[in-house]
Amino acid sequence: MIRKLTSISIKHTSLALLLTSTLAAASWAAPAAQAASEAVYISNASYFTLNQAALSSSSLQFSVALHNGDQKSIDFNQYGVRVTDTSGHSYTAKLSEKKSASVLPGQDASFRFYASLGEGETADQLKVDVFRWDASQADFMNHLGDLPVASALQENQVKVPEEIINLRTLDSTLPNDASVAFQLGQSVRVSENGKWVMYTQVSAKNLGSSSVKLPAGLQVRLVDANGLKYTSTVAEGAGTSFLPSESDTITLKTPISKQLSASGLSLEFYFLNQTEDVSLGTMNLNASLQTTALNTKQTYSGQQDGEQVTVKANSSTYSKQSDGVHVQTVVTLSNDGEASAAVPSFFASYQFGDSGTSISATDNSARNAYLAPKETTTYYFNAILPAGVDPNAAQLVLWEKTATSTSSSSAASSGAANGSGTSSSATSGQMPVAVFQLQGATEAQSGFTTAASYTLGSKLTLSNSSVINKNLDVSLVELHAHQNDDLGYKTAIAKYKITNNGTSTIALPELQNELIDSSGNAYTGTRQTSVTTQVTPGSSYVVSYSYLLPNKKETENETFALNIFDDKSVSQGKVSVGTYKVALQEEADSDILALYPFTIKVNSDSISWLYNNGTYSYQLNLDLDVTHEDQVIVDANFSKVEFDMVDSLGRVVGTQSASLLGSGKLVSGKQKVVVSGLKDEQVDSGVKVYMYEVIETPNGTAKRLIKQFH
């Protein structure tokens, strides 16, 4: 059985006030009293005013101030107040604090009251009726005047609905002024573990003078337009101790049906009185239900007092592929305030359809623990939605990972501010921060069409410092195609220069990258077999990446998009941090050979052959200038030089290797490259020598022809 708390009779009103205030009433002869605008006068110098009124859908809290301008004390016991409306209804006003009733001459005193109201009452309809107790009157009251409630509403009361609940209704051991004003925050409908759930944030302000916890008997439920009720539980904030005049936030979690209509919803506070549900008040949820459009800032609900942190889904892009719809949403967290703010732990989920289907997405990029004022950090949430899902009809739910303290005793829910000792532990959980509508998501363009112009050797500007340390500069210094003998592909070799501008040693980053051709085909870069692990301050290091390309002539002059990406910190796919237009460098027939960071100039060359005791040898005579152009660090894993001697039939009859580092390296001056042990039939007057740059890659040996001698 359900019943509403109702007002009581005038006779009971006087009795309730006397018992609540613990002040003794008396009868006396009533002197003349006069009412003026916004005040009720009891003499020429003394009067009542109404202050700090707070109106909710089912209750009113207010203060009545007595200004004593006379020469003798005034006993507030002689007076009383009640709440009336324009339809003639009256409601009991209960004194919600204990204090002296005597107001000394020349002093002011304020008395706080609480009244339960009927449904639908508005501030314009309500007045506070001030009267003097008078036993000669039929209703024991001598009415002195009315004070309008609308003029005494606290700031923002008209815009922000509240529900004020006197906690003594639930727990008589609490102080007389133990009351809490509940104010709605945002409500979001989210899919969780395949079920639909409504999360509602409620701000609770302690209006009393002592710390309190919400009584265990206080219940909350969601009521739809048809009167169906859905039980709510406290997902976060259970056992919170509310300090006097302070606010804190609790979050309610309500499992709901997928057919639940978003219109006509209300949140009802109630308690169980034996077999009855006693309603304490309701709050309309229509204004609380929130979803946020793309590129729209929303206040971050988990921030501390004084912080000004916002979240925004900047954009959402998708591409339809054979395994489903690949979608990426970029979310930013911004500190718009003047003080540093903590960075929460976020993840996301994409929800779509009516069945409660959702797919998780994470961004595990390394971030600082705090955001400086005016600083922003970016999250990338990637997922693969089932084929046929329209990303514009989906929603992105931004979640925060939380740690909640749980108690092994029910004392944490008692009304006392200081409960008995309990054991507690922390459990991990999750709370929704925002729900972003993806209406306006755009189909992703090929990186080839969006690539920025780039000049070889210039710094690559990357959008995410978690991929490359901010003290490292990365530049592409060389990009050549290498041939693979008798294989059906070519290899492109890119050399990257990585410079440490910091003051400490930094780990060499693993640069995830790919070359994208004009058709949208992507060729992933593979780092050289062995690399150094660290780059020391003030130094540069060269590292090579190889790309397997189709073996077709047009590839030699083809332009690519170099896409540098992060696929480690996201749960699906990859996040581009920079895309640049690059082209394979043409191999010119020149005597100046570039093998970054070395330059080799061929001053002269000649080929001769020698015979000695039945064996033949070919000898390439070279006069070289070898210059280390850029002072960068190269190691034993750097590319080598190979000389292949080929006969007139195109057969390799001998090979000799050389290095640009260490013993036996090519140096400036005259030197000989000798291939010996040839058989008679291998001696050919049409022999040629091909000079290659050779790099060992995880995919095999890659060779680039740099010079031909004959």
Side-chain angles (χ1 to χ4, degrees):
M1 178 179 179
I2 301 175
R3 66 180 177 84
K4 287 283 290 184
L5 290 178
T6 58
S7 58
I8 56 180
S9 68
I10 297 301
K11 181 177 181 181
H12 290 157
T13 299
S14 61
L15 181 59
L17 179 59
L18 289 172
L19 293 177
T20 305
S21 63
T22 69
L23 305 174
S27 59
W28 55 86
Q34 46 188 324
S37 176
E38 308 292 339
V40 172
Y41 282 80
I42 56 177
S43 70
N44 290 332
S46 299
Y47 56 92
F48 292 101
T49 58
L50 184 63
N51 303 305
Q52 298 178 330
L55 176 64
S56 71
S57 60
S58 60
S59 61
L60 175 69
Q61 282 210 354
F62 59 93
S63 293
V64 173
L66 174 55
H67 308 270
N68 185 359
D70 290 314
Q71 300 300 314
K72 61 180 181 179
S73 296
I74 299 177
D75 186 358
F76 189 72
N77 282 328
Q78 300 176 5
Y79 301 90
V81 297
R82 63 174 183 170
V83 179
T84 63
D85 65 14
T86 53
S87 299
H89 300 105
S90 63
Y91 303 99
T92 301
K94 299 178 181 179
L95 193 63
S96 59
E97 58 185 350
K98 291 182 178 180
K99 62 191 308 181
S100 172
S102 179
V103 182
L104 300 176
Q107 300 293 315
D108 296 339
S110 181
F111 301 89
R112 190 72 177 165
F113 287 88
Y114 170 88
S116 296
L117 306 177
E119 293 184 2
E121 297 283 15
T122 64
D124 292 338
Q125 297 173 319
L126 297 174
K127 295 181 179 181
V128 173
D129 175 23
V130 182
F131 57 87
R132 186 194 298 273
W133 293 107
D134 189 347
S136 66
Q137 303 295 323
D139 57 2
F140 300 95
M141 303 177 193
N142 180 9
H143 300 278
L144 304 177
D146 295 323
L147 297 170
V149 169
S151 61
L153 282 181
Q154 296 183 43
E155 186 179 359
N156 297 326
Q157 269 288 296
V158 176
K159 296 181 180 179
V160 183
E162 288 185 327
E163 186 61 46
I164 303 171
I165 295 178
N166 191 328
L167 301 184
R168 278 182 58 86
T169 305
L170 302 158
D171 186 348
S172 61
T173 65
L174 293 175
N176 287 337
D177 65 346
S179 57
V180 172
F182 292 102
Q183 189 177 101
L184 278 175
Q186 73 164 347
S187 295
V188 292
R189 179 177 177 268
V190 299
S191 173
E192 189 174 18
N193 300 322
K195 304 291 184 181
W196 287 108
V197 179
M198 183 81 76
Y199 280 90
T200 301
Q201 292 175 332
V202 179
S203 172
K205 181 177 182 180
N206 181 0
L207 301 178
S209 57
S210 304
S211 295
V212 293
K213 293 182 179 181
L214 299 181
L218 180 62
Q219 306 287 319
V220 188
R221 61 191 170 200
L222 200 65
V223 183
D224 69 10
N226 298 318
L228 298 178
K229 301 175 176 64
Y230 302 86
T231 301
S232 304
T233 58
V234 178
E236 187 174 35
T240 298
S241 182
F242 296 91
L243 303 177
S245 300
E246 296 289 336
S247 298
D248 213 329
T249 300
I250 61 174
T251 303
L252 305 172
K253 180 179 179 180
T254 311
I256 58 176
S257 67
K258 64 181 181 181
Q259 295 88 6
L260 182 71
S261 173
S263 61
L265 293 177
S266 61
L267 196 67
E268 182 180 22
F269 297 89
Y270 69 100
F271 70 94
L272 299 176
N273 184 10
Q274 297 179 349
T275 60
E276 294 182 339
D277 290 358
V278 181
S279 179
L280 297 169
T282 59
M283 306 181 78
N284 191 302
L285 282 184
N286 286 348
S288 173
L289 288 167
Q290 288 186 10
T291 57
T292 305
L294 285 175
N295 203 30
T296 302
K297 275 190 175 184
Q298 177 178 317
T299 300
Y300 165 51
S301 54
Q303 62 189 302
Q304 302 298 314
D305 288 343
E307 294 181 345
Q308 298 179 38
V309 182
T310 59
V311 292
K312 181 174 68 171
N314 295 51
S315 63
S316 187
T317 57
Y318 65 90
S319 63
K320 297 178 181 178
Q321 302 183 24
S322 58
D323 58 345
V325 181
H326 292 235
V327 61
Q328 179 183 102
T329 304
V330 181
V331 174
T332 54
L333 177 77
S334 302
N335 181 4
D336 299 332
E338 300 299 329
S340 295
V343 175
S345 179
F346 284 157
F347 71 99
S349 63
Y350 288 89
Q351 60 187 30
F352 47 90
D354 295 327
S355 60
T357 305
S358 64
I359 296 176
S360 295
T362 58
D363 179 344
N364 299 317
S365 300
R367 292 183 173 84
N368 294 329
Y370 290 88
L371 275 183
K374 312 308 178 186
E375 188 179 9
T376 293
T377 186
T378 303
Y379 299 78
Y380 297 86
F381 296 114
N382 289 17
I384 302 176
L385 308 183
V389 171
D390 180 6
N392 279 270
Q395 295 175 327
L396 180 86
V397 182
L398 184 63
W399 298 85
E400 179 180 357
K401 295 178 183 178
T402 61
T404 305
S405 296
T406 57
S407 174
S408 61
S409 169
S410 60
S413 298
S414 70
N418 298 308
S420 59
T422 61
S423 61
S424 61
S425 60
T427 59
S428 60
Q430 58 189 48
M431 301 298 296
V433 172
V435 176
F436 295 105
Q437 296 281 1
L438 300 187
Q439 179 67 37
T442 58
E443 191 160 5
Q445 293 181 298
S446 166
F448 186 84
T449 60
T450 60
S453 297
Y454 179 73
T455 301
L456 206 66
S458 60
K459 178 182 176 181
L460 294 166
T461 304
L462 306 179
S463 62
N464 191 343
S465 61
S466 66
V467 176
I468 302 294
N469 188 290
K470 64 181 181 180
N471 289 318
L472 292 180
D473 282 352
V474 179
S475 57
L476 176 66
V477 292
E478 196 171 277
L479 180 61
H480 287 281
H482 290 51
Q483 72 181 43
N484 298 279
D485 294 338
D486 302 323
L487 298 178
Y489 60 86
K490 290 187 177 182
T491 301
I493 297 293
K495 292 181 183 177
Y496 295 89
K497 175 184 174 182
I498 301 176
T499 303
N500 183 353
N501 296 315
T503 57
S504 60
T505 299
I506 300 174
L508 185 76
E510 185 174 351
L511 202 65
Q512 301 296 110
N513 62 88
E514 62 191 0
L515 293 178
I516 303 173
D517 66 18
S518 58
S519 300
N521 302 310
Y523 308 99
T524 303
T526 304
R527 191 163 69 169
Q528 67 188 52
T529 306
S530 300
V531 294
T532 187
T533 58
Q534 296 178 323
V535 185
T536 55
S539 66
S540 299
Y541 183 79
V542 175
V543 60
S544 299
Y545 282 76
S546 61
Y547 312 82
L548 301 184
L549 303 178
N551 195 10
K552 53 185 180 179
K553 290 184 179 180
E554 55 266 32
T555 301
E556 295 177 3
N557 298 317
E558 191 170 356
T559 300
F560 293 89
L562 170 63
N563 180 36
I564 299 174
F565 61 85
D566 171 22
D567 64 354
K568 305 297 184 184
S569 61
V570 293
S571 53
Q572 291 282 352
K574 54 196 173 188
V575 176
S576 176
V577 297
T579 308
Y580 308 90
K581 291 179 181 178
V582 295
L584 295 176
Q585 293 173 272
E586 295 184 8
E587 300 294 350
D589 185 10
S590 172
D591 290 332
I592 299 177
L593 313 176
L595 292 82
Y596 184 87
F598 296 95
T599 299
I600 302 174
K601 180 183 179 184
V602 181
N603 297 316
S604 65
D605 64 273
S606 64
I607 299 176
S608 59
W609 60 272
L610 303 172
Y611 176 79
N612 184 20
N613 295 326
T615 62
Y616 293 88
S617 299
Y618 274 101
Q619 180 174 290
L620 175 62
N621 304 296
L622 296 173
D623 183 4
L624 305 176
D625 287 335
V626 180
T627 307
H628 196 160
E629 296 286 355
D630 199 355
Q631 295 303 310
V632 300
I633 297 173
V634 291
D635 55 27
N637 303 305
F638 187 70
S639 54
K640 305 293 191 295
V641 176
E642 180 181 294
F643 297 92
D644 288 355
M645 293 195 176
V646 182
D647 64 17
S648 60
L649 298 177
R651 298 175 300 181
V652 177
V653 295
T655 298
Q656 185 66 269
S657 296
S659 172
L660 292 167
L661 301 170
S663 61
K665 69 180 180 179
L666 294 177
V667 295
S668 296
K670 295 181 179 180
Q671 49 217 296
K672 298 176 182 179
V673 178
V674 179
V675 178
S676 59
L678 277 67
K679 300 176 183 178
D680 288 346
E681 63 270 20
Q682 292 177 314
V683 177
D684 190 328
S685 61
V687 71
K688 297 179 180 179
V689 179
Y690 292 157
M691 182 179 181
Y692 295 96
E693 179 185 16
V694 178
I695 297 179
E696 296 298 329
T697 77
N699 297 318
T701 302
K703 299 171 66 177
R704 165 194 164 207
L705 180 62
I706 56 177
K707 185 67 175 175
Q708 184 179 148
F709 303 99
H710 51 79

